[in-house]
Amino acid sequence: MRVIGFNFTKINIEKLKEPSEADKLKISTSIDIPEIKEVKSNFLKAKDQVLEAEFTFTVNYDPKVAKVDLKGRLFASVEPKLAKEVMQQWKKKKMPGEFRYVLFNVILKKSTLKALYLEEELNLPLHMPMPSFKKKNKENN
């Protein structure tokens, strides 16, 4: 499976109120795949098929401080056998493990980067910790 296209169709971030020290912020993320479908394509030289997956990536800040909503589409080139398996399982809203892992990892990577940028722009707490340096104790030198 190869990812051949990825784009956002909706980018929405809303800061509902300033987070305060008293707020016990609970930040959660979720990914939803509402649709997977086959796309007819003439641009692939191989016999691979193109599948399109719509997705929603959401970051919720509770108690109702902010919300990030990202929607988009991912296009993947997959071998015909896998495409058939994906479409059969999708009738039951399931996906084969190999396809699911690649799909979710690409969505997670690209959406997390976009969400972090937007959170920084609105001065929101980041939904995941960033790497940072820590001062060593004198005892540990």
Side-chain angles (χ1 to χ4, degrees):
M1 177 177 144
R2 281 190 352 237
V3 175
I4 57 174
F6 184 97
N7 64 305
F8 291 108
T9 57
K10 177 184 176 185
I11 297 174
N12 186 36
I13 182 167
E14 187 174 16
K15 187 175 188 178
L16 303 168
K17 68 177 187 174
E18 284 295 327
S20 70
E21 299 273 334
D23 288 332
K24 299 281 188 209
L25 273 184
K26 181 181 176 193
I27 304 172
S28 61
T29 61
S30 64
I31 297 174
D32 182 43
I33 310 293
E35 184 176 13
I36 296 175
K37 62 185 176 185
E38 289 184 68
V39 176
K40 300 297 179 204
S41 170
N42 295 329
F43 67 87
L44 290 180
K45 292 181 182 179
K47 296 187 185 225
D48 285 359
Q49 292 180 274
V50 177
L51 296 181
E52 174 187 344
E54 290 184 18
F55 68 88
T56 302
F57 178 85
T58 305
V59 180
N60 278 311
Y61 290 76
D62 282 322
K64 303 231 184 278
V65 170
K67 186 172 184 177
V68 180
D69 279 315
L70 304 174
K71 291 185 180 186
R73 292 187 177 98
L74 180 143
F75 296 89
S77 169
V78 298
E79 60 186 42
K81 182 180 175 184
L82 179 58
K84 184 178 179 181
E85 185 181 350
V86 168
M87 295 313 298
Q88 282 177 341
Q89 287 191 24
W90 187 247
K91 291 175 186 172
K92 299 174 191 169
K93 299 296 183 195
K94 297 183 184 214
M95 291 178 257
E98 172 191 339
F99 180 80
R100 183 177 63 242
Y101 293 131
V102 173
L103 182 71
F104 274 65
N105 282 328
V106 171
I107 292 168
L108 186 63
K109 179 182 172 185
K110 293 191 175 276
S111 297
T112 296
L113 289 172
K114 181 63 80 176
L116 288 170
Y117 171 77
L118 295 168
E119 291 161 354
E120 179 68 20
E121 287 294 308
L122 267 66
N123 201 25
L124 289 168
L126 301 179
H127 73 275
M128 60 180 288
M130 294 300 290
S132 63
F133 290 104
K134 296 194 180 192
K135 186 177 177 182
K136 278 188 170 182
N137 293 339
K138 289 183 181 182
E139 299 169 0
N140 295 339
N141 286 341

